[in-house]
Amino acid sequence: MLSVGGADAIRSRYSVQGPEALQWPDAIRVWDAIRTLCGVRRLSGGRQDASDGAAGWYGGLSDSAPVHLCEHFLVSVQQLSGLPWWLSIVVATLSVRTLITLPLAAYQMVVLAKVEALQAEISELAKRLRYEVSVRARERGWTEKQSRFQFQKNLRRLVSQLYIRDNCHPFKASVLVWVQLPLWISLSLALRNLSLNQPDVGADLAVGGALWFPDLTVPDSSWMLPVCLGLTNLLIVEVFSLQRVNPSRVQRIVTNAIRAFSLLMIPIAATVPSSMALYWFTSSLVGFSHNLVLRSPAVHKLLRLQTPGSASPYRDLLSAFIAKYCR
């Protein structure tokens, strides 16, 4: 819990009114962690120094209003719940991931299911269009290049009309990334500000940890949180990779790149305050749990997905995992 003086300082520092103040996400990049390696420190509320170069945009972004709103949200959760800081971070993460990103993930599934359901119709349209273009090419004496151009142009037009008809343009499936990534980075930066640049809150965070990380303002010297984070992220990558029966070369390259990034996150998480590492680990764990929930046949029925799913998705997932890694 915050001390009386610390609580008064927080109320004065975060004088944002209304419940909507707790729901405003913004963005910063994962380079925040890498900036930590270089010893960059910017005071929350301080002015940006143009002579700092690269540190200038970082300082300005860390001092932006959306990040302060995330700070206010985290402090409010701790004050209203009365929980220790480590558990408040877990509760805040669970709330954000469940109330914001889980519905978006469900919406993404609906859009992708509609797109997948259209593939048979698109294939049939492509066959008829190819025949019509070949007939027109003979009539007008088009070259092969001209015929290919006309086919692709008209196919794109027809596919676009199908997407509009079923309200399932693939770009809508990316809304989850455009919300989740900025929110994740914004909350990360808010925790960094609270841990390093707010003495009143930092004093409570310094004694608000648990188990092997009692001080949330310093890195986890045991590396247990970073390693758990890396393993969880790798598990998520492997679960997604099991969905692809015959991945293309590009898909394999992307999957390997994500695996490498998951491993890179381990040393990065070992250099940031434990509050950030705890948030990253909790966020990954909750995200993995949500991914499993969204595989449920009951959820598919509730969302009225147009593509049939497996009646036993968890058993199928376990069997695929065993077949790939245990034999």
Side-chain angles (χ1 to χ4, degrees), residues 181-201:
L181 183 60
L183 184 59
W184 178 83
I185 301 176
S186 184
L187 283 169
S188 298
L189 188 55
L191 281 168
R192 177 177 169 82
N193 285 348
L194 292 175
S195 299
L196 302 178
N197 303 322
Q198 296 297 327
D200 294 318
V201 185

Side-chain angles (χ1 to χ4, degrees), residues 136-304:
R136 187 64 60 86
R138 286 195 298 268
E139 293 176 351
R140 300 192 176 184
W142 289 343
T143 64
E144 182 180 351
K145 183 177 181 180
Q146 290 174 321
S147 300
R148 190 184 308 114
F149 172 78
Q150 291 295 329
F151 171 77
Q152 293 175 348
K153 183 182 72 172
N154 285 278
L155 182 62
R156 284 195 297 268
R157 177 178 55 82
L158 293 173
V159 170
S160 179
Q161 291 175 352
L162 291 177
Y163 287 155
I164 294 174
R165 185 195 70 185
D166 291 359
N167 191 25
C168 63
H169 195 284
F171 181 77
K172 293 183 177 181
S174 67
V175 65
L176 176 62
V177 176
W178 293 110
V179 173
Q180 181 174 315
L181 183 60
L183 184 59
W184 178 83
I185 301 176
S186 184
L187 283 169
S188 298
L189 188 55
L191 281 168
R192 177 177 169 82
N193 285 348
L194 292 175
S195 299
L196 302 178
N197 303 322
Q198 296 297 327
D200 294 318
V201 185
D204 293 298
L205 283 167
V207 294
L211 302 176
W212 67 89
F213 53 97
D215 188 349
L216 293 174
T217 64
V218 299
D220 180 9
S221 59
S222 69
W223 282 56
M224 292 184 65
L225 280 176
V227 170
C228 289
L229 169 66
L231 292 177
T232 302
N233 288 338
L234 283 175
L235 182 60
I236 294 173
V237 174
E238 300 312 315
V239 168
F240 274 104
S241 68
L242 292 175
Q243 299 179 26
R244 304 188 181 97
V245 180
N246 295 309
S248 64
R249 181 172 178 271
V250 174
Q251 289 176 331
R252 289 195 298 270
I253 292 175
V254 171
T255 300
N256 289 332
I258 298 176
R259 287 191 181 108
F261 182 76
S262 298
L263 293 175
L264 179 63
M265 284 297 295
I266 295 178
I268 291 178
T271 63
V272 301
S274 296
S275 58
M276 290 178 63
L278 176 63
Y279 165 62
W280 292 350
F281 170 58
T282 305
S283 181
S284 294
L285 197 61
V286 172
F288 178 66
S289 302
H290 287 170
N291 179 268
L292 294 179
V293 169
L294 292 174
R295 290 172 176 268
S296 169
V299 173
H300 286 204
K301 183 178 180 180
L302 179 65
L303 296 177
R304 299 179 181 179

Side-chain angles (χ1 to χ4, degrees), residues 35-42 55 58 192 196:
R35 303 295 301 180
T36 305
L37 295 173
C38 302
V40 175
R41 295 292 185 271
R42 300 289 296 182
Y58 170 82
R192 177 177 169 82
L196 302 178

Side-chain angles (χ1 to χ4, degrees), residues 56-114:
W57 66 264
Y58 170 82
L61 199 50
S62 66
D63 191 33
S64 62
V67 172
H68 290 324
L69 291 178
C70 288
E71 295 173 14
H72 178 82
F73 167 69
L74 292 166
V75 172
S76 297
V77 169
Q78 199 280 329
Q79 288 181 329
L80 293 174
S81 66
L83 298 171
W85 261 106
W86 73 271
L87 192 53
S88 296
I89 294 173
V90 172
V91 170
T93 305
L94 181 62
S95 301
V96 169
R97 291 299 303 253
T98 302
L99 298 178
I100 298 179
T101 60
L102 179 58
L104 292 177
Y107 176 70
Q108 181 186 61
M109 286 183 59
V110 172
V111 172
L112 293 178
K114 289 182 178 181

